[in-house]
Every structure is written in C-alpha cells, then in structure tokens.
mmCIF file of all heavy atoms in Angstrom:
data_model
loop_
_atom_site.group_PDB
_atom_site.id
_atom_site.type_symbol
_atom_site.label_atom_id
_atom_site.label_comp_id
_atom_site.label_asym_id
_atom_site.label_seq_id
_atom_site.Cartn_x
_atom_site.Cartn_y
_atom_site.Cartn_z
ATOM 1 N N LEU A 260 -53.273 13.338 -10.623
ATOM 2 C CA LEU A 260 -53.767 11.982 -10.849
ATOM 3 C C LEU A 260 -52.641 11.002 -11.123
ATOM 4 O O LEU A 260 -52.705 9.835 -10.696
ATOM 5 C CB LEU A 260 -54.746 11.999 -12.036
ATOM 6 C CG LEU A 260 -55.318 10.661 -12.490
ATOM 7 C CD1 LEU A 260 -56.144 10.015 -11.382
ATOM 8 C CD2 LEU A 260 -56.152 10.837 -13.756
ATOM 9 N N PHE A 261 -51.604 11.440 -11.815
ATOM 10 C CA PHE A 261 -50.522 10.538 -12.186
ATOM 11 C C PHE A 261 -49.775 10.008 -10.964
ATOM 12 O O PHE A 261 -49.309 8.867 -10.966
ATOM 13 C CB PHE A 261 -49.534 11.242 -13.121
ATOM 14 C CG PHE A 261 -50.080 11.514 -14.507
ATOM 15 C CD1 PHE A 261 -51.420 11.331 -14.808
ATOM 16 C CD2 PHE A 261 -49.236 11.968 -15.508
ATOM 17 C CE1 PHE A 261 -51.923 11.587 -16.080
ATOM 18 C CE2 PHE A 261 -49.727 12.220 -16.789
ATOM 19 C CZ PHE A 261 -51.067 12.036 -17.079
ATOM 20 N N TYR A 262 -49.645 10.835 -9.920
ATOM 21 C CA TYR A 262 -48.972 10.363 -8.701
ATOM 22 C C TYR A 262 -49.729 9.188 -8.103
ATOM 23 O O TYR A 262 -49.121 8.210 -7.642
ATOM 24 C CB TYR A 262 -48.866 11.499 -7.682
ATOM 25 C CG TYR A 262 -47.922 12.607 -8.066
ATOM 26 C CD1 TYR A 262 -48.389 13.784 -8.627
ATOM 27 C CD2 TYR A 262 -46.548 12.479 -7.856
ATOM 28 C CE1 TYR A 262 -47.535 14.811 -8.984
ATOM 29 C CE2 TYR A 262 -45.670 13.503 -8.203
ATOM 30 C CZ TYR A 262 -46.167 14.663 -8.767
ATOM 31 O OH TYR A 262 -45.307 15.683 -9.117
ATOM 32 N N GLY A 263 -51.062 9.268 -8.088
ATOM 33 C CA GLY A 263 -51.856 8.172 -7.545
ATOM 34 C C GLY A 263 -51.731 6.907 -8.374
ATOM 35 O O GLY A 263 -51.589 5.795 -7.833
ATOM 36 N N LEU A 264 -51.774 7.046 -9.711
ATOM 37 C CA LEU A 264 -51.643 5.873 -10.573
ATOM 38 C C LEU A 264 -50.274 5.212 -10.402
ATOM 39 O O LEU A 264 -50.162 3.976 -10.386
ATOM 40 C CB LEU A 264 -51.866 6.269 -12.028
ATOM 41 C CG LEU A 264 -53.268 6.807 -12.369
ATOM 42 C CD1 LEU A 264 -53.335 7.201 -13.846
ATOM 43 C CD2 LEU A 264 -54.351 5.806 -12.024
ATOM 44 N N GLU A 265 -49.232 6.017 -10.253
ATOM 45 C CA GLU A 265 -47.894 5.466 -10.038
ATOM 46 C C GLU A 265 -47.803 4.759 -8.689
ATOM 47 O O GLU A 265 -47.187 3.692 -8.574
ATOM 48 C CB GLU A 265 -46.859 6.578 -10.135
ATOM 49 C CG GLU A 265 -46.686 7.123 -11.553
ATOM 50 C CD GLU A 265 -45.865 8.394 -11.618
ATOM 51 O OE1 GLU A 265 -45.511 8.946 -10.553
ATOM 52 O OE2 GLU A 265 -45.573 8.842 -12.749
ATOM 53 N N ALA A 266 -48.444 5.333 -7.665
ATOM 54 C CA ALA A 266 -48.434 4.705 -6.335
ATOM 55 C C ALA A 266 -49.153 3.364 -6.361
ATOM 56 O O ALA A 266 -48.730 2.391 -5.712
ATOM 57 C CB ALA A 266 -49.081 5.640 -5.310
ATOM 58 N N ILE A 267 -50.246 3.292 -7.111
ATOM 59 C CA ILE A 267 -50.994 2.041 -7.238
ATOM 60 C C ILE A 267 -50.137 0.975 -7.909
ATOM 61 O O ILE A 267 -50.080 -0.179 -7.457
ATOM 62 C CB ILE A 267 -52.301 2.304 -8.013
ATOM 63 C CG1 ILE A 267 -53.292 3.071 -7.120
ATOM 64 C CG2 ILE A 267 -52.908 1.012 -8.523
ATOM 65 C CD1 ILE A 267 -54.444 3.686 -7.861
ATOM 66 N N ARG A 268 -49.463 1.343 -8.991
ATOM 67 C CA ARG A 268 -48.602 0.373 -9.670
ATOM 68 C C ARG A 268 -47.443 -0.057 -8.783
ATOM 69 O O ARG A 268 -47.076 -1.248 -8.754
ATOM 70 C CB ARG A 268 -48.070 0.982 -10.982
ATOM 71 C CG ARG A 268 -47.141 0.034 -11.752
ATOM 72 C CD ARG A 268 -47.901 -1.219 -12.175
ATOM 73 N NE ARG A 268 -47.025 -2.231 -12.747
ATOM 74 C CZ ARG A 268 -46.415 -3.184 -12.056
ATOM 75 N NH1 ARG A 268 -46.572 -3.242 -10.725
ATOM 76 N NH2 ARG A 268 -45.660 -4.080 -12.651
ATOM 77 N N GLU A 269 -46.854 0.861 -8.058
ATOM 78 C CA GLU A 269 -45.741 0.515 -7.163
ATOM 79 C C GLU A 269 -46.181 -0.451 -6.069
ATOM 80 O O GLU A 269 -45.367 -1.212 -5.527
ATOM 81 C CB GLU A 269 -45.159 1.781 -6.551
ATOM 82 C CG GLU A 269 -44.364 2.626 -7.552
ATOM 83 C CD GLU A 269 -44.069 4.022 -7.033
ATOM 84 O OE1 GLU A 269 -44.418 4.314 -5.871
ATOM 85 O OE2 GLU A 269 -43.513 4.837 -7.806
ATOM 86 N N ALA A 270 -47.483 -0.434 -5.733
ATOM 87 C CA ALA A 270 -48.017 -1.358 -4.733
ATOM 88 C C ALA A 270 -48.343 -2.718 -5.336
ATOM 89 O O ALA A 270 -48.866 -3.605 -4.650
ATOM 90 C CB ALA A 270 -49.260 -0.760 -4.091
ATOM 91 N N GLY A 271 -48.065 -2.900 -6.640
ATOM 92 C CA GLY A 271 -48.264 -4.183 -7.284
ATOM 93 C C GLY A 271 -49.647 -4.402 -7.856
ATOM 94 O O GLY A 271 -50.013 -5.535 -8.188
ATOM 95 N N ILE A 272 -50.434 -3.331 -7.998
ATOM 96 C CA ILE A 272 -51.798 -3.430 -8.524
ATOM 97 C C ILE A 272 -51.798 -2.949 -9.967
ATOM 98 O O ILE A 272 -51.318 -1.851 -10.255
ATOM 99 C CB ILE A 272 -52.765 -2.586 -7.671
ATOM 100 C CG1 ILE A 272 -52.757 -3.088 -6.223
ATOM 101 C CG2 ILE A 272 -54.171 -2.629 -8.248
ATOM 102 C CD1 ILE A 272 -53.503 -2.180 -5.263
ATOM 103 N N VAL A 273 -52.356 -3.758 -10.866
ATOM 104 C CA VAL A 273 -52.323 -3.396 -12.284
ATOM 105 C C VAL A 273 -53.718 -3.211 -12.893
ATOM 106 O O VAL A 273 -53.852 -2.552 -13.925
ATOM 107 C CB VAL A 273 -51.522 -4.420 -13.119
ATOM 108 C CG1 VAL A 273 -50.067 -4.422 -12.694
ATOM 109 C CG2 VAL A 273 -52.121 -5.814 -13.002
ATOM 110 N N ASP A 274 -54.751 -3.799 -12.298
ATOM 111 C CA ASP A 274 -56.115 -3.637 -12.814
ATOM 112 C C ASP A 274 -56.771 -2.445 -12.122
ATOM 113 O O ASP A 274 -57.077 -2.500 -10.927
ATOM 114 C CB ASP A 274 -56.941 -4.896 -12.580
ATOM 115 C CG ASP A 274 -56.558 -6.019 -13.519
ATOM 116 O OD1 ASP A 274 -56.337 -5.725 -14.711
ATOM 117 O OD2 ASP A 274 -56.471 -7.175 -13.078
ATOM 118 N N VAL A 275 -56.994 -1.378 -12.883
ATOM 119 C CA VAL A 275 -57.445 -0.111 -12.315
ATOM 120 C C VAL A 275 -58.708 0.357 -13.029
ATOM 121 O O VAL A 275 -58.720 0.500 -14.261
ATOM 122 C CB VAL A 275 -56.351 0.973 -12.441
ATOM 123 C CG1 VAL A 275 -56.831 2.295 -11.832
ATOM 124 C CG2 VAL A 275 -55.062 0.510 -11.772
ATOM 125 N N GLY A 276 -59.765 0.586 -12.266
ATOM 126 C CA GLY A 276 -60.969 1.213 -12.788
ATOM 127 C C GLY A 276 -60.946 2.691 -12.454
ATOM 128 O O GLY A 276 -60.630 3.060 -11.317
ATOM 129 N N ILE A 277 -61.224 3.535 -13.422
ATOM 130 C CA ILE A 277 -61.246 4.977 -13.177
ATOM 131 C C ILE A 277 -62.665 5.487 -13.378
ATOM 132 O O ILE A 277 -63.242 5.354 -14.460
ATOM 133 C CB ILE A 277 -60.277 5.729 -14.112
ATOM 134 C CG1 ILE A 277 -58.842 5.224 -13.909
ATOM 135 C CG2 ILE A 277 -60.353 7.234 -13.854
ATOM 136 C CD1 ILE A 277 -57.800 5.955 -14.745
ATOM 137 N N ILE A 278 -63.226 6.049 -12.306
ATOM 138 C CA ILE A 278 -64.546 6.662 -12.367
ATOM 139 C C ILE A 278 -64.409 8.033 -13.009
ATOM 140 O O ILE A 278 -63.621 8.870 -12.555
ATOM 141 C CB ILE A 278 -65.161 6.815 -10.967
ATOM 142 C CG1 ILE A 278 -65.280 5.450 -10.273
ATOM 143 C CG2 ILE A 278 -66.517 7.510 -11.048
ATOM 144 C CD1 ILE A 278 -66.317 4.534 -10.849
ATOM 145 N N VAL A 279 -65.156 8.271 -14.089
ATOM 146 C CA VAL A 279 -65.074 9.543 -14.796
ATOM 147 C C VAL A 279 -66.464 10.162 -14.898
ATOM 148 O O VAL A 279 -67.479 9.467 -14.853
ATOM 149 C CB VAL A 279 -64.463 9.378 -16.207
ATOM 150 C CG1 VAL A 279 -62.994 9.000 -16.117
ATOM 151 C CG2 VAL A 279 -65.232 8.335 -17.019
ATOM 152 N N GLY A 280 -66.478 11.490 -15.027
ATOM 153 C CA GLY A 280 -67.724 12.230 -15.152
ATOM 154 C C GLY A 280 -67.697 13.109 -16.377
ATOM 155 O O GLY A 280 -67.338 12.674 -17.468
ATOM 156 N N GLU A 281 -67.995 14.399 -16.178
ATOM 157 C CA GLU A 281 -68.117 15.310 -17.315
ATOM 158 C C GLU A 281 -66.775 15.621 -17.970
ATOM 159 O O GLU A 281 -66.739 16.094 -19.100
ATOM 160 C CB GLU A 281 -68.805 16.602 -16.883
ATOM 161 C CG GLU A 281 -68.082 17.344 -15.783
ATOM 162 C CD GLU A 281 -68.864 18.547 -15.275
ATOM 163 O OE1 GLU A 281 -70.075 18.626 -15.560
ATOM 164 O OE2 GLU A 281 -68.252 19.389 -14.600
ATOM 165 N N THR A 282 -65.671 15.353 -17.285
ATOM 166 C CA THR A 282 -64.341 15.562 -17.879
ATOM 167 C C THR A 282 -63.747 14.246 -18.384
ATOM 168 O O THR A 282 -62.536 14.116 -18.510
ATOM 169 C CB THR A 282 -63.380 16.206 -16.869
ATOM 170 O OG1 THR A 282 -63.262 15.342 -15.721
ATOM 171 C CG2 THR A 282 -63.882 17.570 -16.427
ATOM 172 N N ALA A 283 -64.597 13.276 -18.691
ATOM 173 C CA ALA A 283 -64.126 11.941 -19.089
ATOM 174 C C ALA A 283 -63.167 11.989 -20.269
ATOM 175 O O ALA A 283 -62.123 11.325 -20.256
ATOM 176 C CB ALA A 283 -65.327 11.058 -19.425
ATOM 177 N N ALA A 284 -63.482 12.781 -21.288
ATOM 178 C CA ALA A 284 -62.633 12.809 -22.483
ATOM 179 C C ALA A 284 -61.224 13.282 -22.147
ATOM 180 O O ALA A 284 -60.231 12.733 -22.655
ATOM 181 C CB ALA A 284 -63.263 13.720 -23.543
ATOM 182 N N GLU A 285 -61.118 14.287 -21.289
ATOM 183 C CA GLU A 285 -59.804 14.802 -20.919
ATOM 184 C C GLU A 285 -59.008 13.774 -20.116
ATOM 185 O O GLU A 285 -57.803 13.578 -20.336
ATOM 186 C CB GLU A 285 -59.970 16.095 -20.114
ATOM 187 C CG GLU A 285 -58.665 16.826 -19.874
ATOM 188 C CD GLU A 285 -58.863 18.115 -19.088
ATOM 189 O OE1 GLU A 285 -59.989 18.375 -18.627
ATOM 190 O OE2 GLU A 285 -57.877 18.845 -18.926
ATOM 191 N N ILE A 286 -59.679 13.102 -19.170
ATOM 192 C CA ILE A 286 -59.009 12.073 -18.370
ATOM 193 C C ILE A 286 -58.536 10.933 -19.279
ATOM 194 O O ILE A 286 -57.394 10.462 -19.168
ATOM 195 C CB ILE A 286 -59.950 11.530 -17.281
ATOM 196 C CG1 ILE A 286 -60.361 12.638 -16.291
ATOM 197 C CG2 ILE A 286 -59.300 10.361 -16.554
ATOM 198 C CD1 ILE A 286 -59.279 13.122 -15.383
ATOM 199 N N GLU A 287 -59.394 10.488 -20.179
ATOM 200 C CA GLU A 287 -59.048 9.366 -21.058
ATOM 201 C C GLU A 287 -57.908 9.725 -22.004
ATOM 202 O O GLU A 287 -57.046 8.886 -22.303
ATOM 203 C CB GLU A 287 -60.278 8.909 -21.824
ATOM 204 C CG GLU A 287 -61.335 8.273 -20.928
ATOM 205 C CD GLU A 287 -62.560 7.789 -21.678
ATOM 206 O OE1 GLU A 287 -62.416 7.451 -22.885
ATOM 207 O OE2 GLU A 287 -63.648 7.742 -21.088
ATOM 208 N N THR A 288 -57.875 10.963 -22.471
ATOM 209 C CA THR A 288 -56.771 11.394 -23.332
ATOM 210 C C THR A 288 -55.454 11.391 -22.568
ATOM 211 O O THR A 288 -54.403 10.983 -23.100
ATOM 212 C CB THR A 288 -57.053 12.800 -23.890
ATOM 213 O OG1 THR A 288 -58.227 12.752 -24.705
ATOM 214 C CG2 THR A 288 -55.881 13.294 -24.730
ATOM 215 N N ALA A 289 -55.484 11.831 -21.322
ATOM 216 C CA ALA A 289 -54.255 11.919 -20.527
ATOM 217 C C ALA A 289 -53.730 10.544 -20.099
ATOM 218 O O ALA A 289 -52.520 10.315 -20.100
ATOM 219 C CB ALA A 289 -54.505 12.782 -19.292
ATOM 220 N N VAL A 290 -54.622 9.642 -19.734
ATOM 221 C CA VAL A 290 -54.221 8.356 -19.148
ATOM 222 C C VAL A 290 -54.168 7.244 -20.200
ATOM 223 O O VAL A 290 -53.352 6.321 -20.097
ATOM 224 C CB VAL A 290 -55.175 7.965 -17.998
ATOM 225 C CG1 VAL A 290 -54.815 6.599 -17.419
ATOM 226 C CG2 VAL A 290 -55.146 9.031 -16.903
ATOM 227 N N GLY A 291 -55.024 7.324 -21.213
ATOM 228 C CA GLY A 291 -55.059 6.291 -22.235
ATOM 229 C C GLY A 291 -55.451 4.942 -21.666
ATOM 230 O O GLY A 291 -56.285 4.845 -20.757
ATOM 231 N N ASP A 292 -54.832 3.892 -22.182
ATOM 232 C CA ASP A 292 -55.158 2.546 -21.703
ATOM 233 C C ASP A 292 -54.378 2.165 -20.455
ATOM 234 O O ASP A 292 -54.518 1.047 -19.943
ATOM 235 C CB ASP A 292 -54.928 1.506 -22.802
ATOM 236 C CG ASP A 292 -53.456 1.412 -23.228
ATOM 237 O OD1 ASP A 292 -52.595 2.127 -22.665
ATOM 238 O OD2 ASP A 292 -53.166 0.619 -24.153
ATOM 239 N N GLY A 293 -53.549 3.103 -19.960
ATOM 240 C CA GLY A 293 -52.783 2.858 -18.733
ATOM 241 C C GLY A 293 -51.420 2.255 -18.959
ATOM 242 O O GLY A 293 -50.624 2.141 -18.012
ATOM 243 N N SER A 294 -51.104 1.860 -20.188
ATOM 244 C CA SER A 294 -49.836 1.177 -20.434
ATOM 245 C C SER A 294 -48.626 2.047 -20.101
ATOM 246 O O SER A 294 -47.570 1.528 -19.702
ATOM 247 C CB SER A 294 -49.763 0.707 -21.893
ATOM 248 O OG SER A 294 -49.929 1.800 -22.788
ATOM 249 N N ALA A 295 -48.758 3.360 -20.232
ATOM 250 C CA ALA A 295 -47.642 4.256 -19.882
ATOM 251 C C ALA A 295 -47.311 4.188 -18.395
ATOM 252 O O ALA A 295 -46.195 4.526 -17.985
ATOM 253 C CB ALA A 295 -47.984 5.693 -20.277
ATOM 254 N N PHE A 296 -48.268 3.747 -17.598
ATOM 255 C CA PHE A 296 -48.059 3.630 -16.148
ATOM 256 C C PHE A 296 -47.842 2.185 -15.709
ATOM 257 O O PHE A 296 -47.681 1.918 -14.518
ATOM 258 C CB PHE A 296 -49.277 4.200 -15.399
ATOM 259 C CG PHE A 296 -49.600 5.622 -15.740
ATOM 260 C CD1 PHE A 296 -50.480 5.923 -16.772
ATOM 261 C CD2 PHE A 296 -49.004 6.669 -15.049
ATOM 262 C CE1 PHE A 296 -50.775 7.242 -17.101
ATOM 263 C CE2 PHE A 296 -49.296 7.981 -15.370
ATOM 264 C CZ PHE A 296 -50.176 8.267 -16.397
ATOM 265 N N GLY A 297 -47.899 1.261 -16.653
ATOM 266 C CA GLY A 297 -47.752 -0.148 -16.316
ATOM 267 C C GLY A 297 -49.008 -0.750 -15.724
ATOM 268 O O GLY A 297 -48.937 -1.725 -14.964
ATOM 269 N N ILE A 298 -50.188 -0.187 -16.064
ATOM 270 C CA ILE A 298 -51.455 -0.683 -15.550
ATOM 271 C C ILE A 298 -52.424 -0.915 -16.699
ATOM 272 O O ILE A 298 -52.172 -0.501 -17.823
ATOM 273 C CB ILE A 298 -52.080 0.307 -14.535
ATOM 274 C CG1 ILE A 298 -52.309 1.677 -15.192
ATOM 275 C CG2 ILE A 298 -51.194 0.440 -13.290
ATOM 276 C CD1 ILE A 298 -52.979 2.708 -14.285
ATOM 277 N N ARG A 299 -53.543 -1.589 -16.391
ATOM 278 C CA ARG A 299 -54.640 -1.771 -17.344
ATOM 279 C C ARG A 299 -55.841 -0.983 -16.839
ATOM 280 O O ARG A 299 -56.318 -1.233 -15.726
ATOM 281 C CB ARG A 299 -54.999 -3.252 -17.486
ATOM 282 C CG ARG A 299 -53.916 -4.107 -18.097
ATOM 283 C CD ARG A 299 -54.412 -5.535 -18.324
ATOM 284 N NE ARG A 299 -54.711 -6.193 -17.044
ATOM 285 C CZ ARG A 299 -53.829 -6.931 -16.366
ATOM 286 N NH1 ARG A 299 -52.593 -7.072 -16.833
ATOM 287 N NH2 ARG A 299 -54.170 -7.516 -15.238
ATOM 288 N N VAL A 300 -56.348 -0.073 -17.643
ATOM 289 C CA VAL A 300 -57.390 0.836 -17.188
ATOM 290 C C VAL A 300 -58.736 0.487 -17.805
ATOM 291 O O VAL A 300 -58.838 0.232 -19.013
ATOM 292 C CB VAL A 300 -57.033 2.301 -17.525
ATOM 293 C CG1 VAL A 300 -58.219 3.226 -17.284
ATOM 294 C CG2 VAL A 300 -55.842 2.758 -16.684
ATOM 295 N N THR A 301 -59.765 0.475 -16.961
ATOM 296 C CA THR A 301 -61.157 0.380 -17.391
ATOM 297 C C THR A 301 -61.860 1.660 -16.941
ATOM 298 O O THR A 301 -61.805 2.021 -15.758
ATOM 299 C CB THR A 301 -61.849 -0.831 -16.745
ATOM 300 O OG1 THR A 301 -61.171 -2.032 -17.147
ATOM 301 C CG2 THR A 301 -63.316 -0.901 -17.149
ATOM 302 N N TYR A 302 -62.498 2.368 -17.869
ATOM 303 C CA TYR A 302 -63.204 3.600 -17.522
ATOM 304 C C TYR A 302 -64.658 3.290 -17.186
ATOM 305 O O TYR A 302 -65.324 2.511 -17.881
ATOM 306 C CB TYR A 302 -63.122 4.605 -18.672
ATOM 307 C CG TYR A 302 -61.712 5.117 -18.894
ATOM 308 C CD1 TYR A 302 -60.918 4.580 -19.907
ATOM 309 C CD2 TYR A 302 -61.178 6.092 -18.068
ATOM 310 C CE1 TYR A 302 -59.620 5.028 -20.101
ATOM 311 C CE2 TYR A 302 -59.882 6.549 -18.256
ATOM 312 C CZ TYR A 302 -59.106 6.005 -19.264
ATOM 313 O OH TYR A 302 -57.815 6.450 -19.441
ATOM 314 N N ILE A 303 -65.148 3.907 -16.110
ATOM 315 C CA ILE A 303 -66.503 3.676 -15.622
ATOM 316 C C ILE A 303 -67.192 5.029 -15.519
ATOM 317 O O ILE A 303 -66.765 5.898 -14.746
ATOM 318 C CB ILE A 303 -66.485 2.978 -14.248
ATOM 319 C CG1 ILE A 303 -65.698 1.655 -14.347
ATOM 320 C CG2 ILE A 303 -67.904 2.742 -13.732
ATOM 321 C CD1 ILE A 303 -65.307 1.069 -13.011
ATOM 322 N N GLN A 304 -68.213 5.248 -16.305
ATOM 323 C CA GLN A 304 -68.896 6.543 -16.364
ATOM 324 C C GLN A 304 -69.870 6.692 -15.200
ATOM 325 O O GLN A 304 -70.698 5.819 -14.958
ATOM 326 C CB GLN A 304 -69.646 6.686 -17.684
ATOM 327 C CG GLN A 304 -70.312 8.038 -17.888
ATOM 328 C CD GLN A 304 -69.311 9.157 -18.182
ATOM 329 O OE1 GLN A 304 -68.378 8.955 -18.959
ATOM 330 N NE2 GLN A 304 -69.527 10.321 -17.591
ATOM 331 N N GLN A 305 -69.768 7.819 -14.495
ATOM 332 C CA GLN A 305 -70.713 8.179 -13.443
ATOM 333 C C GLN A 305 -71.533 9.358 -13.950
ATOM 334 O O GLN A 305 -70.983 10.414 -14.266
ATOM 335 C CB GLN A 305 -69.973 8.532 -12.148
ATOM 336 C CG GLN A 305 -70.874 8.743 -10.949
ATOM 337 C CD GLN A 305 -70.078 9.083 -9.680
ATOM 338 O OE1 GLN A 305 -69.056 9.777 -9.747
ATOM 339 N NE2 GLN A 305 -70.539 8.596 -8.537
ATOM 340 N N GLU A 306 -72.844 9.203 -14.022
ATOM 341 C CA GLU A 306 -73.675 10.215 -14.663
ATOM 342 C C GLU A 306 -73.708 11.527 -13.895
ATOM 343 O O GLU A 306 -73.970 12.591 -14.467
ATOM 344 C CB GLU A 306 -75.109 9.699 -14.855
ATOM 345 C CG GLU A 306 -75.911 9.494 -13.593
ATOM 346 C CD GLU A 306 -75.745 8.107 -12.990
ATOM 347 O OE1 GLU A 306 -74.760 7.408 -13.340
ATOM 348 O OE2 GLU A 306 -76.600 7.725 -12.169
#
C-alpha cells in the first residue's frame, strides 16, 4: 500500500480517500493521517 501512496504524492495529489473494510483498524494504524507520506487521508468505510 505504501508504494501506491508514495506514487500518488509524487504525482502531486495530496487529498486521498482510502476505502477500508474489516481490516480498517490495521490500515488506519499503518497510514495514520497520511502526514508521513505528505498527504491528507480521509477514511471511508465500506460495509
């Protein structure tokens, strides 16, 4: 996942929505608010 987030930032995109499911807590712990990647992350739950 980190390779994709880095590629998005390198393309000049900073507003990123991440679709999460049953592993949402793990994804959110790893990515956080996105500041480590130079992006702003909004999490969107898919049931």
Side-chain angles (χ1 to χ4, degrees):
L260 177 62
F261 290 10
Y262 291 99
L264 297 178
E265 290 169 354
I267 287 165
R268 179 63 188 90
E269 288 167 4
I272 300 171
V273 296
D274 286 318
V275 180
I277 301 183
I278 301 290
V279 292
E281 59 186 16
T282 59
E285 189 179 7
I286 298 290
E287 292 181 28
T288 297
V290 177
D292 63 1
S294 57
F296 303 91
I298 59 178
R299 295 186 295 268
V300 170
T301 299
Y302 293 99
I303 303 165
Q304 184 73 43
Q305 188 180 36
E306 68 271 18

